[in-house]
Amino acid sequence: MKKKLIIAVILMALLFAGMFKVTKLRTFQIFGGLTYQAETKDKVIALTFDDGPTKNVDQLLPLLDEYKVKATFFLIGNEIEKHPEEAKKLVEAGHQIGNHTYSHKRMVLKSPSFIEEEIEKTDELIRSIGYAGEIDFRPPYGKKFVGLPYYLNKTNRETIMWSLDPETYYTSVDDKVDYVLENIKPGSIILLHPMYDQTGGTIQVVEAILKELTSEGYEFVTVNELQER
């Protein structure tokens, strides 16, 4: 009896470990469509920003405008409520706006009603700032399992992930930039988090990426535009 109990505990541990691994996969989910990069030979890439909006929008927009770049911003609903004017600036500048949930909580082991409210409430806020385009979705922390993909699939939404995330691996500006330059390829989706940066380091990373990759002949497009290639 004791041996069977030990085996059962081990099997349960392995099951939960496997489930945890699935929740954070960038290239796979159980239901519905998922994009983490595009298959194309054209030198086109997407620059995506998570979280916010915050006052840092005022630093980021002139930089993107200088390089004539349109990016994709995955915004948090409660931050749109706090900073509606900054959110409207993104729309007025012609950038793509995506849904990053209302509260930025991990969307794993959540009830169907919680998932629905987090997404639909944020969609309403995105519409309230004047955005009329397609609203893509990116899960907080990239976490997803069954309930979230099921709801997204049921409501004809696609999950947008990423292929390059320099902030996960490096802390210095130079290392983050080098990582992107060394791993970039046509169809890449880059993830950065400039909204809560108080040091200016992420803005420096953005500027260096724009400068270097533009000089290499890459064109920056929105996620929706990248998917059409």
Side-chain angles (χ1 to χ4, degrees):
M1 184 70 178
K2 186 176 180 181
K3 185 177 180 180
K4 289 182 179 180
L5 179 61
I6 293 172
I7 293 173
V9 170
I10 292 172
L11 290 175
M12 287 295 292
L14 290 173
L15 176 62
F16 280 112
M19 289 170 57
F20 176 77
K21 186 174 182 180
V22 169
T23 66
K24 61 180 184 177
L25 291 177
R26 288 188 293 106
T27 61
F28 170 81
Q29 68 182 20
I30 295 173
F31 297 104
L34 179 148
T35 294
Y36 68 97
Q37 65 182 22
E39 297 301 325
T40 178
K41 295 181 180 178
D42 297 331
K43 296 186 77 172
V44 291
I45 52 180
L47 187 57
T48 68
F49 302 110
D50 281 9
D51 305 338
T54 67
K55 296 294 184 181
N56 284 3
V57 164
D58 292 332
Q59 299 178 56
L60 198 54
L61 283 181
L63 186 56
L64 296 173
D65 187 55
E66 178 184 346
Y67 286 89
K68 297 179 172 58
V69 165
K70 299 303 180 189
T72 303
F73 290 81
F74 289 94
L75 302 183
I76 300 171
N78 62 27
E79 293 285 15
I80 296 175
E81 289 180 331
K82 295 174 189 174
H83 305 280
E85 294 307 313
E86 281 69 26
K88 290 175 183 177
K89 289 176 184 178
L90 297 175
V91 176
E92 291 166 358
H95 297 287
Q96 181 182 346
I97 306 299
N99 185 322
H100 202 40
T101 73
Y102 179 79
S103 66
H104 201 264
K105 293 181 179 178
R106 286 175 172 79
M107 302 292 281
V108 177
L109 302 179
K110 300 296 186 184
S111 69
S113 61
F114 179 87
I115 291 170
E116 179 177 0
E117 183 176 6
E118 285 281 312
I119 294 174
E120 298 300 337
K121 188 173 182 178
T122 304
D123 269 6
E124 291 175 7
L125 288 164
I126 289 173
R127 293 303 184 203
S128 75
I129 58 174
Y131 184 71
E134 179 182 350
I135 303 176
D136 287 328
F137 179 85
R138 175 174 282 167
Y141 312 101
K143 297 286 187 178
K144 54 197 166 33
F145 188 47
V146 176
L148 175 61
Y150 177 79
Y151 183 79
L152 295 174
N153 186 50
K154 185 176 70 171
T155 54
N156 298 313
R157 305 166 193 260
E158 187 168 8
T159 302
I160 306 299
M161 298 294 280
W162 57 86
S163 56
L164 297 179
D165 176 13
E167 294 167 312
T168 292
Y169 307 103
Y170 302 101
T171 55
S172 77
V173 170
D174 289 343
D175 286 343
K176 291 174 185 178
V177 174
D178 288 344
Y179 167 82
V180 172
L181 298 182
E182 291 168 6
N183 292 280
I184 199 73
K185 66 178 184 177
S188 292
I189 298 177
I190 305 168
L191 166 62
L192 289 168
H193 298 80
M195 291 298 176
Y196 306 123
D197 176 34
Q198 300 298 316
T199 67
T202 306
I203 298 296
Q204 293 177 46
V205 172
V206 173
E207 184 172 16
I209 288 173
L210 292 173
K211 180 180 178 180
E212 296 297 332
L213 294 183
T214 299
S215 69
E216 292 182 16
Y218 279 98
E219 177 188 358
F220 290 86
V221 298
T222 65
V223 168
N224 282 167
E225 291 170 333
L226 187 67
Q227 291 174 309
E228 294 172 358
R229 297 299 180 116

